[in-house]
Amino acid sequence: MMDEKYIDLVTGHLEGTLTLQQEAELQDYLEQGHIKATEIQEFKNLYCQLSDIPAPAPSPFMKADFQEMLADYKKENPQRAPKGSFFGSWLAQWSVPQVFGQMVFGVMVLALGVGIGFRLTPAKTYEKELSHLTGEVQTMREVMMLTLLKQSSATERLKAVNLTGDLETADAKVIRALLQTLNNDPNVNVRLATIEALYQHASNPAVRAGLIAAISQQDSPLVQIALADIMLSLQEKKSVGELQKLLRKKDLNQAVEAKVKQTINVLI
Amino acid sequence: MDALADNALMLKVKSGDVDRLGLLFDRYHRVLYSFFYQFTSSKMVSEDLVQNVFMRILKYKHTFTGDGKFTTWMYHLARNVYADHYRRDSRLGFSDDFTTVENSLHNSYNIEEQTKKDEEIQLLQKALNQLSHDKKEVLILSRYQDLKYKEIAEILCCSEAAVKVKVFRAMQDLKNIYTQLERQEI
């Protein structure tokens, strides 16, 4: 009879869960004769053979019996819809997958909420809110534009100028910033973009005046031609004086000179 | 078997989606059948007992928390189903108990076609049937149902060390009975 103090080692050996250390320990006991090798082998053989004992397969009627039992149960216990979910049972009836059902339910609730919101909220309040929001966005764009205009990178300043294209109206602060850029920005491309931006607000007399004043201050032929084009487009007769001032410059580009002369002739 | 999937299915059953029980039935009716067959040696009774287990699963679905493994909970119910069956049959005087099982096993085998291994297994079955219920149960759960000692401990509501003691003692008894039966055969 094997001693019960070896229970852990023997049962672990049977289950196949002994650690390497425990295996070595068991081996020591076997070598020292504390545990008989034949006895533990008999244990192992019998234990393994237990799984060989055959069990007949259940009859094919078992599943049918189960289905019948389940049907009886459902009849006796009518299935309640999952807690608080009228739509759940409705969707289940149409065999809609649960996740899809939840999504549809969510969308329906949202649509209902929006509908109720429109009904309950007076139109004027809604418009007021919308107008307020638009104003907020406009202010944010302005702030961003003014911040970007102060950046040292020409690309950033170019972005700032382009941002003004999204502004429905430009206030005095924005116009001032753009005109300052037109007169002082070292980069020609930024200045050209600024002319484009200001042109969109040409209905503003301050913008027109600013553009006219800038003509004689520019030294880049590209900018000078662009400004002449704008004056022509705007049919701004007040710009003739400034254009003539430009013609008096000694080192004026020939192409510019021709363009300015043509513009003056048209405007006069 | 995926314990998480089992638990998820059972939680669905618990919430009222009882059709999901069909999947659990497909997974476990065979192992439950073999579990009962080892005790009853009766196909019909084993099938009835399996059916009873699934009926109880429906009846007691509200007690399933999903904290432990579904199989542990299922074997709890299976053991109770068998205990009720055994109590009822003992009261009615039926002979479907552990000592008479071996007779039915003799009839179920074709003696002429038995190989040496078949004889050994038959002898082992006889030895197993002569074990006390507790010892037989722990060997069936461990070897026949392929459960770990830790899982058996949860099913029997005892410590893993206690399961090891039961397995050890059951194996000792099984070996002694087997040896005796072998001598008788000779």
Side-chain angles (χ1 to χ4, degrees), chain A residues 2 4 8 11 15 42-43 47 49-50 53-56 59 62-63 65-66 73-74 79 98, chain B residues 12 16 19 25-26 33 37 47 50-51 61 120 125 142-144 148-149 164 169 171-172 175:
Chain A
M2 208 183 292
E4 290 204 350
D8 275 342
T11 52
E15 200 189 27
E42 279 174 3
F43 265 39
Y47 193 73
Q49 275 184 324
L50 279 172
I53 295 174
S59 74
M62 216 172 148
K63 176 82 177 179
D65 290 343
F66 167 77
Y73 175 87
K74 283 161 77 175
Q79 194 176 335
Q98 199 182 1
Chain B
K12 293 250 179 212
D19 286 325
F25 178 87
D26 290 342
Y33 176 79
Y37 188 81
E47 287 191 7
V50 172
Q51 190 86 325
K61 61 183 189 301
E120 281 174 7
Q125 176 79 74
S142 152
R143 201 58 205 152
Y144 222 71
K148 298 281 173 206
Y149 296 151
K164 286 180 180 176
R169 288 180 183 164
M171 284 307 296
Q172 279 191 324
K175 188 176 82 71

Side-chain angles (χ1 to χ4, degrees), chain B residues 9-22:
Chain B
L9 282 174
M10 189 55 222
L11 288 170
K12 293 250 179 212
V13 173
K14 183 182 177 179
S15 69
D17 189 1
V18 292
D19 286 325
R20 302 282 178 142
L21 191 64

